[in-house]
Amino acid sequence: RPQMVRALDTVIANGFLTACLTNNVVSTSEPENERQVQVRDIMARFHHVVESSKVGCRKPEPRFYEIACELLGVTPQQCRAALHAHSV
């Protein structure tokens, strides 16, 4: 998803705070494969990453989004979302 990464870099370069909200499960796979390394490097660009497996709630629960706002120090009204879907 190079276009999404470029868009993220542009948003950050323009001074916006960013958070990635992800419904996930704890991964125990070792060693990291190439895709996992790429994902880790992209996730490191965000100011905060909110992972459902760590915070105890998931999208679309309102609390999940509230946690992101709290971490960023913003109100929901100050936020915008960029969404993507995985192909199955």
Side-chain angles (χ1 to χ4, degrees):
R1 298 180 184 92
Q3 295 165 324
M4 195 66 159
V5 173
R6 283 193 300 276
L8 174 62
D9 289 342
T10 299
V11 166
I12 293 168
N14 281 287
F16 291 95
L17 298 175
T18 59
C20 176
L21 287 71
T22 180
N23 287 338
N24 66 354
V25 295
V26 177
S27 175
T28 59
S29 63
E30 292 291 332
E32 287 185 321
N33 62 40
E34 182 179 336
R35 183 179 184 282
Q36 289 170 312
V37 171
Q38 291 172 345
V39 169
R40 185 194 65 221
D41 291 345
I42 292 168
M43 298 300 248
R45 288 172 154 89
F46 289 93
H47 293 93
H48 295 281
V49 176
V50 183
E51 300 176 77
S52 62
S53 65
K54 294 182 180 178
V55 299
C57 54
R58 304 173 55 82
K59 295 182 273 183
E61 295 173 59
R63 181 67 188 135
F64 197 60
Y65 301 97
E66 291 167 357
I67 291 168
C69 289
E70 291 166 7
L71 289 169
L72 293 169
V74 299
T75 66
Q77 294 78 14
Q78 294 173 296
C79 296
R80 299 296 175 263
L83 307 173
H84 74 89
H86 290 284
S87 298
V88 179

